[in-house]
Amino acid sequence: MVRDLALPLAMAVAAGLVGCFAVMRRMTLASDAISHVALPGIGVALALQLNPLLGGLAALLLGTLLIWALEHKTRVPTEALIGVVFSAALAVGSMLTSGEELIEALFGGGGRLSGVETLLGLIGSALVIGFTLRARSRLVIALVSPDLARTAGVDVAAVNLLYLLAFALTVALGLRYLGVLLMGSLVIIPAATAKHLATGLTAMLLIAVSIAVLSTLAGTLLGSALHQDAGPVTIAVAALFFFVSLARRRSV
Amino acid sequence: MTDVLQVAHLSVSFGKNRVLDGLSFSVPEASTLAIIGPNGSGKTVLFKALIGTIPHGGEVRWAAGSRIGYVPQKLDIERDLPITGLDFLRAKAAVARVSPEEVRRALDLVSLAPEVAAEPIGALAGGNFQRLLLAFALMGRPTVLLFDEPTAGVDEPGEAGIYATIRRLQKEGRLTLLLISHELSLVYRYATHVLCLSRWRTCYGPPLEILTPERLQEAYGTAMSFHLHDGPNGP
């Protein structure tokens, strides 16, 4: 049981932290779309009989580099581009994957992870958590104003790239558990909820992590009690937190 | 006197629109350069080129060891962004590798109450937000301050206080000041040099030479009457 929960909970902490900055950077929609890019990677890996998680991770990292390059090199408004590129990824990915495998890739599930997979997942989670906490000052200044960040000596392009890579890694961590469609939600929903409730940065990070962890825990336990996959139950619980927070939203 | 900043043939274009064209000037250490000119003449664009956040032609050379503090004219912040003024200043302290004590010092310098700084930055009133930006710029002890309309939105006693603070810092610390302002009486009082940007003509020199009715009319393209309320008691 402990072994089964260790990775989902580590992933939830990473998702809560990364999500806070995604929500504050106003990339809520983009981040959902980014997670879709894992699908063609999973499809290609399955076709080549490789580990689908590695295929998903590779596709996510490539997609991330693409977004970063679009943002920094072309100065084209990225919202529309991201929407189109990643919806296309979803379409191509569905053609490459089929049947049972497609459902698993989209919504998670699909058996226990091996010991090595769990270990790699824990290392990945630790990397994401460590980066987000260490870089939080740079991320905060860069999201408030890239100009101010620059004069404060922050390499904005570098910190943005590292952040997007951390985001991609977080989505990859959740692929087996939540799938391509739902992992973006575990990143965004707890953070969006925390934004309603918190007035300061530390409070937001703590609330988002708590909600992500509680949802994951509830999803796993309720899921096995209800004979459902853990992923959809997790997101349903997170969404419940979000709607409750709307009612308690601090007035501004 | 050594120059803190040397600018040579600086040009900035947005598409076909050339905003700055072949601009050259230098800024001596501990001096105050005021940048004036009508709306759309490229004053803020000049600042962004100086701090390196927009592409430009020509050369911008800062003296080795320069630390730049930048106070932008305005920032577009969501009202419910859960980042408080203190979060923002602590982030600067961490990035500039200065002690968290500096946050208190910076708040004192700009007369911003800690309980006001504890509010989310998007909810701060204009004048308080401006003070917060100044506090942010002053952390890490900059050698150069770039001020874009520094006291727009600050009430008059507040404005006087901010200028007094800057003057004091300038005397204490060899601080160089670059200032965009529409208030010509302030420019007259504080500036050692004036750079006047305009679509018609760019001019550069001491305030006495630049702030003449003829020069101002050239720059603004319309007759300007500039009355000195207090007379020159500046540098």
Side-chain angles (χ1 to χ4, degrees), chain B residues 92-120:
Chain B
K92 171 79 184 260
V95 165
R97 294 200 177 82
V98 295
S99 101
E101 292 293 299
E102 287 281 305
V103 171
R104 172 76 62 77
R105 175 185 161 269
L107 287 176
D108 282 349
L109 280 175
V110 301
S111 318
L112 191 64
E115 58 270 21
V116 176
E119 289 175 29

Side-chain angles (χ1 to χ4, degrees), chain A residues 147-148 150 195 200-201 250, chain B residues 48 52-53 70 78 80 82 87:
Chain A
D147 288 348
L148 288 184
R150 179 79 179 241
K195 190 176 170 224
L201 181 63
R250 71 190 165 87
Chain B
K48 294 199 174 197
T53 55
Y70 172 48
E78 262 180 290
D80 61 347
D87 286 333

Side-chain angles (χ1 to χ4, degrees), chain A residues 95-184:
Chain A
M95 291 189 271
L96 288 171
T97 332
S98 60
E100 185 74 2
E101 283 166 344
L102 178 61
I103 296 294
E104 273 177 20
L106 289 177
F107 298 107
R112 284 185 72 160
L113 291 167
S114 69
V116 176
E117 283 174 325
T118 306
L119 183 65
L120 287 177
L122 287 174
I123 293 173
S125 305
L127 282 176
V128 171
I129 294 166
F131 163 76
T132 320
L133 292 178
R134 268 186 66 91
R136 69 182 246 189
S137 295
R138 279 176 286 159
L139 288 167
V140 161
I141 300 174
L143 77 88
V144 169
S145 161
D147 288 348
L148 288 184
R150 179 79 179 241
T151 55
V154 175
D155 186 339
V156 178
V159 80
N160 281 347
L161 176 61
L162 287 173
Y163 174 75
L164 288 173
L165 289 175
F167 186 98
L169 187 52
T170 308
V171 173
L173 290 169
L175 283 182
R176 174 66 68 85
Y177 189 69
L178 286 162
V180 168
L181 285 186
L182 292 178
M183 187 52 195

